[in-house]
Amino acid sequence: GFKMLLGIDGSFGETTHQKPIEGRAPKYDNEMMLTKIASQYLGKEIGDTVTISLDGAKADFLVTGLYQSSSDAGKIGAVMTEGYRRLVPDFGYTSCEILLEDNKNLEESMQEVEELGAEEGLDLQVEDSAAQVNDMMKDAQAGIVLLVVFFYMLSILISALITFLLAITLLKRQRHEFAVYRSMGYPVRTLRTAFACSFGMIGIMGAAFGLAA
């Protein structure tokens, strides 16, 4: 047999992200969809029957459509809630998503869901998933900024080291020239200033070209 994930959807309505690209979505508890990858993986097409086993329970499902999903590298199928209860009779959802048409009523809607849960004797934890996603995005952006700053600082450090080594190398090569200039009466301060200016111009030009690239 083959092992793969199984997605569960209450009705495959308009809000579902599991929409068929071929065939149709399941309407009955004995129907299912497969991704194209899962279809090739199992060797099953639309109209074929797939036998699913879970913890000793088995049930046959008719493939009614194909859809796309990146979960488990695409090796996944989808059934209705009632179809999954053929394998796990006491199955119940532990979480769900509620999509609002108008986010202006977000706080009011969250309070209504909590009150409804309390009336049914349920201990519900209602959260704003959009806010959580935004927080995650902010954290990710902060991490990227820190990474960019780190690489910039590293580049500056490496550039400074290379510049220092080049300066030493150039100074050693021009030692004879400096000795000649000294013998001609040029003061040490003037020679140092000339060397610093010439090498500084080279460093500035190199930095400018590096930033432009």
Side-chain angles (χ1 to χ4, degrees):
F2 301 92
K3 292 183 178 181
M4 56 181 285
L5 292 179
L6 192 63
I8 305 170
D9 197 298
S11 62
F12 292 98
E14 294 182 358
T15 59
T16 183
H17 59 85
Q18 300 175 133
K19 297 185 180 296
I21 56 176
E22 293 183 24
R24 63 171 177 81
K27 294 182 179 179
Y28 307 102
D29 61 3
N30 65 334
E31 297 178 343
M32 72 176 301
M33 287 195 302
L34 294 173
T35 62
K36 284 194 172 183
I37 294 177
S39 174
Q40 297 172 356
Y41 179 64
L42 299 175
K44 300 290 185 178
E45 299 289 343
I46 295 176
D48 293 339
T49 299
V50 176
T51 301
I52 299 177
S53 61
L54 178 64
D55 296 332
K58 288 186 178 182
D60 292 334
F61 293 86
L62 177 67
V63 180
T64 61
L66 301 178
Y67 73 110
Q68 292 180 333
S69 175
S70 59
S71 300
D72 197 29
K75 296 178 182 178
I76 184 173
V79 298
M80 298 184 66
T81 304
E82 294 304 321
Y84 189 72
R85 288 193 176 121
R86 295 173 61 200
L87 299 169
V88 184
D90 58 348
F91 169 75
Y93 287 100
T94 57
S95 64
C96 68
E97 293 184 356
I98 300 176
L99 303 180
L100 301 179
E101 293 182 356
D102 187 0
N103 283 335
K104 293 181 180 179
N105 300 323
L106 176 62
E107 296 294 333
E108 181 181 346
S109 300
M110 293 176 64
Q111 185 176 356
E112 289 180 358
V113 172
E114 290 179 348
E115 293 175 353
L116 179 60
E119 292 177 0
E120 297 294 331
L122 302 175
D123 184 16
L124 298 182
Q125 182 178 0
V126 183
E127 299 177 346
D128 180 7
S129 59
Q132 294 177 350
V133 171
N134 290 335
D135 291 340
M136 292 174 61
M137 291 296 295
K138 291 179 181 178
D139 292 340
Q141 290 175 354
I144 293 173
V145 170
L146 289 176
L147 190 62
V148 170
V149 170
F150 169 76
F151 278 112
Y152 266 113
M153 296 299 295
L154 184 61
S155 299
I156 293 173
L157 180 62
I158 294 175
S159 298
L161 180 60
I162 294 175
T163 302
F164 175 72
L165 295 176
L166 287 175
I168 293 177
T169 303
L170 185 61
L171 186 60
K172 289 181 178 180
R173 290 183 177 180
Q174 293 184 342
R175 184 181 301 174
H176 179 69
E177 295 179 13
F178 290 154
V180 173
Y181 289 139
R182 285 285 293 133
S183 66
M184 294 172 61
Y186 285 94
V188 176
R189 179 176 296 181
T190 301
L191 296 177
R192 288 178 177 176
T193 302
F195 175 79
C197 290
S198 62
F199 193 80
M201 289 299 298
I202 295 174
I204 292 173
M205 292 177 62
F209 280 118
L211 291 175

